[in-house]
Amino acid sequence: MADARPRRPARPREEVFAAARAAIAEHGLAKLTMAGLGKQLQMSAGHLLYYFGSKDQLLLETLRWSEDQLGVRRRAMLADGGRDVGRRLEEYTALYLPEGPGDPRWILWVEVWGRSPAGEELRQGQLEIEAPWQADLVALIEEGTAAARFGPGDATERAIQIRALLDGLAVPLALGLPGADRPRAHHLATTACAALLGRAPA
């Protein structure tokens, strides 16, 4: 005789990612269990493992989902060619930086960076997720250089330098280290970008 008990429908992947991001930001990946996350979502740990395979894969896919959401905002902001390219660069840096200590998106990044040396899949996934940030910044710098708003220089190299600076400002802010705050981090990023790019007055 067939089991007449109704089956719970699978949770949408977006709901799984949102719950995982919140749980990782609050407790860290080490304390996250598939059983605990499944209980929160009213799903079995086996069901989660079926879809994601491992906690590392769940972490990577959650980060990818989180960055895809932000990518929509970033592309819309940068595509507005009617606005000053220098102003769009400032908005890029603001979007890149954490909102403050414990920013869930940035806690995901810290977790991925900490675990990627031990796993090729995580390293490759990290590079894929970072690539659009780099490509969009290169395009923005090339636009500003062509318009003589930025001084001459290799756009790819300068984009790598800017992102390294932003990462260095972002991690202490996300971790809530003493002396790190968002307004100061954004000010430092803006002034450093201006010096690096040789920005001309608007």
Side-chain angles (χ1 to χ4, degrees):
M1 182 177 177
D3 189 345
R5 291 176 297 179
R7 294 188 178 185
R8 289 193 183 95
R11 296 288 185 182
R13 288 175 72 88
E14 290 77 10
E15 188 175 343
V16 175
F17 292 143
R21 181 172 65 178
I24 293 168
E26 184 175 0
H27 303 295
L29 189 68
K31 293 184 179 179
L32 176 70
T33 66
M34 289 300 204
L37 182 61
K39 184 177 180 180
Q40 182 179 340
L41 291 164
Q42 296 184 311
M43 295 171 62
S44 69
H47 198 165
L48 288 171
L49 285 169
Y50 174 79
Y51 281 108
F52 299 105
S54 67
K55 286 204 299 184
D56 278 354
Q57 188 61 32
L58 174 62
L59 170 64
L60 186 62
E61 292 306 315
T62 301
L63 178 60
R64 195 186 308 277
W65 166 79
S66 178
E67 289 297 316
D68 284 348
Q69 289 186 315
L70 201 61
V72 173
R73 292 172 55 194
R74 185 184 69 247
R75 289 189 296 272
M77 177 188 72
L78 297 180
D80 187 359
R83 298 171 60 246
D84 176 62
V85 67
R87 178 59 181 159
R88 280 180 281 147
L89 175 62
E90 291 179 12
E91 292 174 355
Y92 174 101
T93 61
L95 195 63
Y96 196 106
L97 292 169
E99 291 296 326
D103 183 322
R105 168 182 164 251
W106 267 96
I107 298 302
L108 290 176
W109 271 115
V110 170
E111 290 281 358
V112 167
W113 286 337
R115 298 173 76 87
S116 63
E120 176 61 28
E121 187 175 19
L122 274 178
R123 285 197 299 273
Q124 185 59 40
Q126 170 194 328
L127 293 174
E128 291 171 359
I129 296 168
E130 288 181 355
W133 282 98
Q134 173 72 8
D136 285 347
L137 183 54
V138 168
L140 191 65
I141 293 171
E142 288 175 341
E143 178 187 340
T145 303
R149 285 285 283 113
F150 304 152
D154 184 273
T156 298
E157 291 299 314
R158 293 195 286 180
I160 291 171
Q161 290 175 303
I162 289 171
R163 289 185 51 246
L165 166 73
L166 292 171
D167 288 342
L169 292 168
V171 172
L173 176 56
L175 297 179
L177 298 184
D181 66 77
R182 181 176 165 84
R184 182 167 181 265
H186 191 224
H187 172 72
L188 291 172
T190 299
T191 55
C193 285
L196 178 63
L197 296 174
R199 282 182 55 183

mmCIF file of all heavy atoms in Angstrom, residues 23-34 55-56 59 107 111 115:
data_model
loop_
_atom_site.group_PDB
_atom_site.id
_atom_site.type_symbol
_atom_site.label_atom_id
_atom_site.label_comp_id
_atom_site.label_asym_id
_atom_site.label_seq_id
_atom_site.Cartn_x
_atom_site.Cartn_y
_atom_site.Cartn_z
ATOM 1 N N ALA A 23 22.722 31.799 8.273
ATOM 2 C CA ALA A 23 23.301 30.892 9.266
ATOM 3 C C ALA A 23 24.827 30.958 9.267
ATOM 4 O O ALA A 23 25.462 30.962 10.324
ATOM 5 C CB ALA A 23 22.848 29.461 8.988
ATOM 6 N N ILE A 24 25.433 31.035 8.077
ATOM 7 C CA ILE A 24 26.889 31.113 7.990
ATOM 8 C C ILE A 24 27.378 32.442 8.550
ATOM 9 O O ILE A 24 28.384 32.499 9.266
ATOM 10 C CB ILE A 24 27.350 30.929 6.530
ATOM 11 C CG1 ILE A 24 27.060 29.497 6.065
ATOM 12 C CG2 ILE A 24 28.835 31.234 6.392
ATOM 13 C CD1 ILE A 24 27.208 29.286 4.571
ATOM 14 N N ALA A 25 26.657 33.520 8.251
ATOM 15 C CA ALA A 25 27.057 34.831 8.766
ATOM 16 C C ALA A 25 26.987 34.873 10.288
ATOM 17 O O ALA A 25 27.815 35.516 10.942
ATOM 18 C CB ALA A 25 26.171 35.913 8.158
ATOM 19 N N GLU A 26 26.019 34.177 10.863
ATOM 20 C CA GLU A 26 25.833 34.229 12.311
ATOM 21 C C GLU A 26 26.780 33.290 13.051
ATOM 22 O O GLU A 26 27.331 33.655 14.100
ATOM 23 C CB GLU A 26 24.391 33.887 12.665
ATOM 24 C CG GLU A 26 24.093 34.010 14.157
ATOM 25 C CD GLU A 26 22.630 33.786 14.488
ATOM 26 O OE1 GLU A 26 21.826 33.536 13.565
ATOM 27 O OE2 GLU A 26 22.294 33.863 15.691
ATOM 28 N N HIS A 27 26.984 32.084 12.500
ATOM 29 C CA HIS A 27 27.717 31.065 13.250
ATOM 30 C C HIS A 27 29.003 30.601 12.573
ATOM 31 O O HIS A 27 29.815 29.932 13.210
ATOM 32 C CB HIS A 27 26.825 29.841 13.471
ATOM 33 C CG HIS A 27 25.537 30.153 14.181
ATOM 34 N ND1 HIS A 27 25.497 30.597 15.476
ATOM 35 C CD2 HIS A 27 24.240 30.084 13.755
ATOM 36 C CE1 HIS A 27 24.235 30.790 15.837
ATOM 37 N NE2 HIS A 27 23.456 30.495 14.810
ATOM 38 N N GLY A 28 29.198 30.920 11.299
ATOM 39 C CA GLY A 28 30.346 30.400 10.572
ATOM 40 C C GLY A 28 30.050 29.039 9.973
ATOM 41 O O GLY A 28 29.166 28.309 10.446
ATOM 42 N N LEU A 29 30.787 28.693 8.925
ATOM 43 C CA LEU A 29 30.521 27.429 8.237
ATOM 44 C C LEU A 29 30.834 26.234 9.120
ATOM 45 O O LEU A 29 30.163 25.207 9.048
ATOM 46 C CB LEU A 29 31.344 27.355 6.946
ATOM 47 C CG LEU A 29 31.003 26.180 6.030
ATOM 48 C CD1 LEU A 29 29.615 26.348 5.428
ATOM 49 C CD2 LEU A 29 32.039 26.050 4.915
ATOM 50 N N ALA A 30 31.840 26.356 9.991
ATOM 51 C CA ALA A 30 32.247 25.212 10.818
ATOM 52 C C ALA A 30 31.118 24.737 11.728
ATOM 53 O O ALA A 30 30.993 23.543 12.004
ATOM 54 C CB ALA A 30 33.472 25.590 11.651
ATOM 55 N N LYS A 31 30.282 25.665 12.175
ATOM 56 C CA LYS A 31 29.198 25.305 13.090
ATOM 57 C C LYS A 31 27.885 24.997 12.364
ATOM 58 O O LYS A 31 26.915 24.588 13.005
ATOM 59 C CB LYS A 31 28.976 26.428 14.099
ATOM 60 C CG LYS A 31 30.144 26.623 15.053
ATOM 61 C CD LYS A 31 29.839 27.682 16.103
ATOM 62 C CE LYS A 31 30.995 27.855 17.066
ATOM 63 N NZ LYS A 31 30.725 28.898 18.089
ATOM 64 N N LEU A 32 27.879 25.215 11.058
ATOM 65 C CA LEU A 32 26.674 24.907 10.291
ATOM 66 C C LEU A 32 26.618 23.412 9.999
ATOM 67 O O LEU A 32 27.587 22.827 9.514
ATOM 68 C CB LEU A 32 26.678 25.680 8.967
ATOM 69 C CG LEU A 32 25.511 25.386 8.017
ATOM 70 C CD1 LEU A 32 24.208 25.954 8.571
ATOM 71 C CD2 LEU A 32 25.787 25.967 6.633
ATOM 72 N N THR A 33 25.501 22.791 10.310
ATOM 73 C CA THR A 33 25.302 21.389 9.950
ATOM 74 C C THR A 33 24.154 21.293 8.965
ATOM 75 O O THR A 33 23.221 22.103 8.990
ATOM 76 C CB THR A 33 24.974 20.527 11.180
ATOM 77 O OG1 THR A 33 23.694 20.933 11.712
ATOM 78 C CG2 THR A 33 26.048 20.680 12.252
ATOM 79 N N MET A 34 24.250 20.315 8.089
ATOM 80 C CA MET A 34 23.171 20.106 7.135
ATOM 81 C C MET A 34 21.878 19.742 7.871
ATOM 82 O O MET A 34 20.791 20.124 7.468
ATOM 83 C CB MET A 34 23.544 19.016 6.136
ATOM 84 C CG MET A 34 24.625 19.430 5.145
ATOM 85 S SD MET A 34 24.148 20.841 4.144
ATOM 86 C CE MET A 34 25.173 20.618 2.704
ATOM 87 N N LYS A 55 29.110 20.710 2.309
ATOM 88 C CA LYS A 55 28.987 22.059 2.854
ATOM 89 C C LYS A 55 29.791 23.053 2.018
ATOM 90 O O LYS A 55 29.364 24.203 1.849
ATOM 91 C CB LYS A 55 29.449 22.104 4.310
ATOM 92 C CG LYS A 55 28.475 21.483 5.289
ATOM 93 C CD LYS A 55 28.645 22.046 6.689
ATOM 94 C CE LYS A 55 30.008 21.779 7.259
ATOM 95 N NZ LYS A 55 30.123 22.262 8.658
ATOM 96 N N ASP A 56 30.937 22.636 1.516
ATOM 97 C CA ASP A 56 31.731 23.532 0.683
ATOM 98 C C ASP A 56 30.960 23.944 -0.570
ATOM 99 O O ASP A 56 30.991 25.110 -0.980
ATOM 100 C CB ASP A 56 33.042 22.859 0.270
ATOM 101 C CG ASP A 56 34.100 22.946 1.358
ATOM 102 O OD1 ASP A 56 33.853 23.616 2.384
ATOM 103 O OD2 ASP A 56 35.168 22.344 1.181
ATOM 104 N N LEU A 59 28.292 26.366 0.382
ATOM 105 C CA LEU A 59 28.907 27.674 0.605
ATOM 106 C C LEU A 59 29.149 28.382 -0.716
ATOM 107 O O LEU A 59 28.807 29.566 -0.880
ATOM 108 C CB LEU A 59 30.223 27.491 1.357
ATOM 109 C CG LEU A 59 31.137 28.727 1.478
ATOM 110 C CD1 LEU A 59 30.462 29.822 2.292
ATOM 111 C CD2 LEU A 59 32.476 28.341 2.102
ATOM 112 N N ILE A 107 30.981 37.826 4.963
ATOM 113 C CA ILE A 107 31.336 36.656 5.777
ATOM 114 C C ILE A 107 31.426 35.423 4.882
ATOM 115 O O ILE A 107 32.305 34.563 5.075
ATOM 116 C CB ILE A 107 30.324 36.453 6.916
ATOM 117 C CG1 ILE A 107 30.328 37.656 7.867
ATOM 118 C CG2 ILE A 107 30.633 35.173 7.677
ATOM 119 C CD1 ILE A 107 31.679 37.962 8.489
ATOM 120 N N GLU A 111 34.803 33.083 4.432
ATOM 121 C CA GLU A 111 34.759 31.622 4.547
ATOM 122 C C GLU A 111 35.331 30.952 3.299
ATOM 123 O O GLU A 111 36.092 29.983 3.387
ATOM 124 C CB GLU A 111 33.318 31.160 4.776
ATOM 125 C CG GLU A 111 32.745 31.502 6.139
ATOM 126 C CD GLU A 111 33.218 30.556 7.231
ATOM 127 O OE1 GLU A 111 33.965 29.597 6.933
ATOM 128 O OE2 GLU A 111 32.823 30.775 8.398
ATOM 129 N N ARG A 115 38.838 28.583 2.954
ATOM 130 C CA ARG A 115 38.754 27.164 2.624
ATOM 131 C C ARG A 115 39.266 26.840 1.225
ATOM 132 O O ARG A 115 39.565 25.688 0.922
ATOM 133 C CB ARG A 115 37.292 26.696 2.747
ATOM 134 C CG ARG A 115 36.736 26.843 4.152
ATOM 135 C CD ARG A 115 35.241 26.529 4.204
ATOM 136 N NE ARG A 115 34.965 25.109 4.145
ATOM 137 C CZ ARG A 115 34.938 24.306 5.202
ATOM 138 N NH1 ARG A 115 35.183 24.780 6.405
ATOM 139 N NH2 ARG A 115 34.654 23.034 5.076
#
